[in-house]
Amino acid sequence: MATLFGRVRYVIGALAVIWLVALAVPSAAQQPTSVNPTASSVKEEQLLRQLRRVEGRITIPDERASVLEQPEGRSWRQFHEVTLRWIGAIAILLMLAALVIFYLTRGMVRLENGRSGRTIVRFNAFERFIHWLTATCFVILALSGLNITFGKKLLLPLIGPDAFTIWSQWAKYFHNYLSFPFTIGVIVIFLMWIAGNMPNRVDVEWVKRGGGLIGNDHPPAYRFNAGQKAIYWLQMLGGTAMAITGYLLMFPFYGTDIGALQTAQMFHGIIAMLYVALIIAHIYIGTIGMEGAFESMGTGTVDLNWAKQHHSLWVEQEMARTGPNQSQAQPMATPAE
Ligand code: HEM
């Protein structure tokens, strides 16, 4: 009897062990594929291929946060870490190379008749303030943005992870907050200079004659020539596109899903690279590219000979408006000291 009891105890014990083991591995039994989601991350690739996306369980209300990986994320990462870097490097380096070649072959556009000793007001204090506000914001936005694209590759190995983290965090704050004065600057510039930037017949002639940059020709122009008008409109388009895509990124999921955010970032990145290249050309022509040009945004006045050489029709308009020697003309045409 005792041995029978003993055998029954063994059988019950063995069944209990089998039951416990079965309970402990239910997921493996229920899994339709050979993938074990709890296995090590070495299987991650296989998991993504079979399930299309990898999701986790979360306790916060925002369901979107449960998506860990999705196929589109990989193509976006490829764009962000490879394609965009190529686009940026080509756009910026090509522009720099073109300007160096242009400078070496053409040189600075000189004041043909020297200085007259008389100046004419080109931009008033408000115009210069808005220009420099927008320009300063642009430079900081560009540097902090380029850090997102190129920083990990170029800067991190140079300055190490600690400094790179601190710099990147500050750069991100600047990128976010300076977007507001930048956007205001673009809007004010749009309104302030639109009248002078409307295309007209004189522009066609200016372009046909190479804008005075090729050879020593000086085609007539009103306050802004066709080249400046092109820069103005490209900047307005660029600024608007950067603001729209930028704010979509800054306030994610307000009317956008992950796909729209990825598209916004692609546009933001590509336009940024072209925009930076455009501004490099703008800075060139306003500084070492043309004698006497920087003064217009620096002091607000330019030499009368400079104005006649580059904007002859504008000088005529100003003279007709104020009279060459009348007291009214003082703010527009004063002797330089
Ligand atoms: C209203 C203006 C702007 C806003 C609201 C804005 C906003 C943003 C946001 C939210 C991001 C994503 C940052 C992140 O991934 O953490 C970004 C990235 C970036 N921004 Fe801007 N931005 C503006 C203007 C500019 C300007 C003027 C430039 C330079 C021309 C610029 C260049 C970049 C670049 C290069 C990136 C990184 C793109 C990438 O690598 O994927 N941004 N911006």
Side-chain angles (χ1 to χ4, degrees):
M1 197 62 184
T3 37
L4 184 65
F5 246 133
R7 281 194 183 142
V8 169
R9 265 184 21 222
Y10 277 129
V11 170
I12 291 172
L15 283 174
V17 170
I18 291 167
W19 182 67
L20 276 175
V21 170
L23 264 190
V25 286
S27 54
Q30 285 161 17
Q31 193 67 25
T33 67
S34 57
V35 178
N36 175 6
T38 57
S40 85
S41 61
V42 180
K43 300 263 170 65
E44 199 182 298
E45 281 283 343
Q46 195 188 353
L47 194 66
L48 189 68
R49 235 179 294 124
Q50 294 188 0
L51 303 177
R52 297 288 296 154
R53 54 169 51 202
V54 181
E55 289 187 48
R57 248 169 301 181
I58 53 167
T59 51
I60 58 170
D62 190 348
E63 271 300 308
R64 288 171 302 222
S66 66
V67 179
L68 293 173
E69 285 182 55
Q70 47 151 353
E72 293 81 11
R74 303 200 154 206
S75 36
W76 175 80
R77 192 178 62 185
Q78 168 74 11
F79 170 82
H80 176 73
E81 297 205 341
V82 181
T83 320
L84 184 60
R85 285 180 185 163
W86 275 105
I87 294 173
I90 290 171
I92 295 170
L93 295 179
L94 260 188
M95 180 56 84
L96 285 172
L99 291 173
V100 169
I101 292 168
F102 188 72
Y103 184 73
L104 293 177
T105 51
R106 170 67 172 87
M108 186 184 240
V109 178
R110 292 278 172 197
L111 269 171
E112 237 166 37
N113 302 319
R115 291 185 179 263
S116 68
R118 295 185 73 203
T119 56
I120 177 166
V121 173
R122 186 143 168 83
F123 295 112
N124 65 33
F126 178 72
E127 288 175 306
R128 281 178 284 140
F129 168 72
I130 292 294
H131 173 271
W132 288 119
L133 171 84
T134 318
T136 310
C137 291
F138 179 91
V139 170
I140 298 171
L141 283 167
L143 291 176
S144 53
L146 290 175
N147 182 56
I148 297 169
T149 317
F150 294 105
K152 207 165 72 177
K153 193 90 183 152
L154 300 181
L155 207 57
L156 177 62
L158 284 180
I159 61 173
D162 292 345
F164 184 69
T165 306
I166 295 167
W167 145 247
S168 296
Q169 201 171 4
W170 277 103
K172 180 70 184 121
Y173 285 137
F174 278 117
H175 202 85
N176 280 1
Y177 287 109
L178 289 185
S179 71
F180 298 105
F182 173 77
T183 307
I184 293 170
V186 170
I187 295 169
V188 177
I189 286 178
F190 174 72
L191 298 172
M192 191 166 71
W193 288 333
I194 186 170
N197 280 289
M198 294 311 281
N200 54 36
R201 282 221 246 113
V202 175
D203 299 327
V204 180
E205 183 64 18
W206 191 90
V207 173
K208 273 190 196 158
R209 286 167 60 178
L213 287 172
I214 302 156
N216 282 321
D217 192 11
H218 299 297
Y222 287 102
R223 190 178 185 203
F224 300 116
N225 61 40
Q228 291 168 314
K229 288 178 185 178
I231 298 261
Y232 169 87
W233 286 109
L234 285 173
Q235 289 209 47
M236 292 302 103
L237 285 177
T240 309
M242 292 310 284
I244 293 172
T245 51
Y247 290 125
L248 286 177
L249 293 171
M250 208 190 285
F251 302 102
F253 299 112
Y254 282 90
T256 46
D257 57 12
I258 190 81
L261 287 170
Q262 284 169 346
T263 311
Q265 183 133 8
M266 286 180 180
F267 274 102
H268 195 81
I270 295 172
I271 298 167
M273 301 308 163
L274 302 177
Y275 205 169
V276 170
L278 178 78
I279 294 297
I280 291 174
H282 176 68
I283 294 172
Y284 168 82
I285 204 73
T287 53
I288 56 168
M290 184 183 278
E291 186 181 4
F294 188 79
E295 293 154 33
S296 62
M297 262 317 154
T299 60
T301 58
V302 287
D303 191 275
L304 202 55
N305 279 354
W306 182 93
K308 283 180 182 162
Q309 183 173 325
H310 299 293
H311 300 274
S312 54
L313 300 172
W314 172 65
V315 176
E316 281 171 26
Q317 278 181 329
E318 288 302 308
M319 292 301 178
R321 197 169 65 85
T322 58
N325 294 311
Q326 290 166 21
S327 54
Q328 264 174 308
Q330 284 307 91
M332 301 309 292
T334 50
E337 292 308 323

